[in-house]
Amino acid sequence: MTQLGEEYLLIRQFKNGDHHSFKVLYQKYAPKLYGFSRKYLNSDEDAEEIVQEIFLRIWEKRENVDESQSFSSYIFQAAKHRIFNGFRKKVNEQAYLDFVVYANDASSNFTDMEVEYQEIKSKAEAVISAMPPKRQEIFRLSREQGLKNKEIAEKLQISIKTVENQMSQALKFLREELMDYQTFMLVFLLTHIQL
């Protein structure tokens, strides 16, 4: 039996609840999936979490797996999607752009998303520049230099409460000015922008 035929058989068996077949697929693909995820996440823990999540989800929804499609493509597409969602929540701009470049290289169509991201970034910069000088300074110290509220307060010799109020006003202003853009991009910019 060919390798493709063996995999097809394994997938059919695991779809019927066969634990051994699932274990064989896991042992074959988990290390590759881990390596792929680790390359873009720079975290052993996060990469391992993705592998576990994907295989758990595959097991739970095994009846939906299409055995006529490449299992490898299926799990790597799931990993790309999971990594992208993770980037929306917690990574910096450079890591996001690295992933967009990778996704484009992998013949995925993220070009429109990258263009939209750049548009939002430009609009956000214009909005930030329109803030009162002190609020803008506080916002940039937080987002560009990564300073905590206490550090900003000490640097500018103002109270932490003032810093918190100014950051709150800055984020409110950004939300109002950028409300026409897709929510997930707005959340990404408001929480991780480093202009």
Side-chain angles (χ1 to χ4, degrees):
M1 185 179 289
T2 67
Q3 188 175 358
L4 205 57
E6 287 176 16
E7 185 167 292
Y8 176 81
L9 184 60
L10 285 170
I11 293 168
R12 293 211 51 176
Q13 289 171 340
F14 113 78
K15 281 184 68 171
N16 289 325
D18 182 65
H19 290 273
H20 176 72
S21 300
F22 180 72
K23 184 178 178 183
V24 171
L25 288 167
Y26 179 86
Q27 289 172 338
K28 179 177 180 180
Y29 288 107
K32 296 175 186 175
L33 196 58
Y34 172 83
F36 171 84
S37 302
R38 177 68 177 82
K39 182 176 178 182
Y40 295 99
L41 295 172
N42 295 320
S43 164
D44 294 337
E45 202 172 272
D46 289 346
E48 185 61 38
E49 183 179 329
I50 282 184
V51 171
Q52 297 303 321
E53 279 183 24
I54 288 172
F55 276 95
L56 178 63
R57 190 169 4 141
I58 286 171
W59 176 257
E60 289 173 346
K61 302 201 181 267
R62 59 190 175 275
E63 65 278 353
N64 298 329
V65 174
D66 184 355
E67 64 263 24
S68 67
Q69 291 187 344
S70 164
F71 187 75
S72 175
S73 296
Y74 180 80
I75 63 170
F76 281 93
Q77 186 63 35
K80 282 198 290 187
H81 185 72
R82 173 66 179 80
I83 290 168
F84 176 73
N85 285 340
F87 281 164
R88 283 174 17 197
K89 295 173 185 169
K90 66 179 182 178
V91 303
N92 62 32
E93 176 188 24
Q94 189 57 52
Y96 171 81
L97 293 175
D98 287 346
F99 180 73
V100 170
V101 169
Y102 162 76
N104 286 334
D105 288 345
S107 301
S108 299
N109 189 13
F110 287 92
T111 305
D112 292 342
M113 192 175 299
E114 185 177 3
V115 168
E116 183 176 8
Y117 176 80
Q118 292 302 329
E119 287 175 9
I120 294 173
K121 183 179 173 185
S122 296
K123 173 69 174 170
E125 175 56 33
V127 172
I128 292 165
S129 296
M131 291 178 188
K134 184 58 76 175
R135 183 173 301 158
Q136 183 181 152
E137 181 181 19
I138 291 169
F139 184 83
R140 289 187 186 280
L141 286 171
S142 172
R143 291 306 191 255
E144 293 176 12
Q145 296 183 27
L147 297 182
K148 297 185 181 337
N149 289 349
K150 183 179 179 184
E151 295 170 322
I152 296 170
E154 289 171 0
K155 183 177 176 78
L156 300 180
Q157 299 182 343
I158 56 178
S159 72
I160 294 177
K161 191 71 175 164
T162 299
V163 174
E164 290 171 354
N165 288 339
Q166 288 298 315
M167 281 300 296
S168 176
Q169 290 297 316
L171 291 172
K172 180 181 177 190
F173 185 58
L174 271 169
R175 278 193 298 271
E176 289 170 354
E177 293 298 312
L178 299 176
M179 69 189 316
D180 291 339
Y181 292 91
Q182 292 183 13
T183 304
F184 78 85
M185 294 299 288
L186 181 57
V187 169
F188 181 81
L189 280 168
L190 292 179
T191 57
H192 301 292
I193 190 169
Q194 292 184 350
L195 297 164

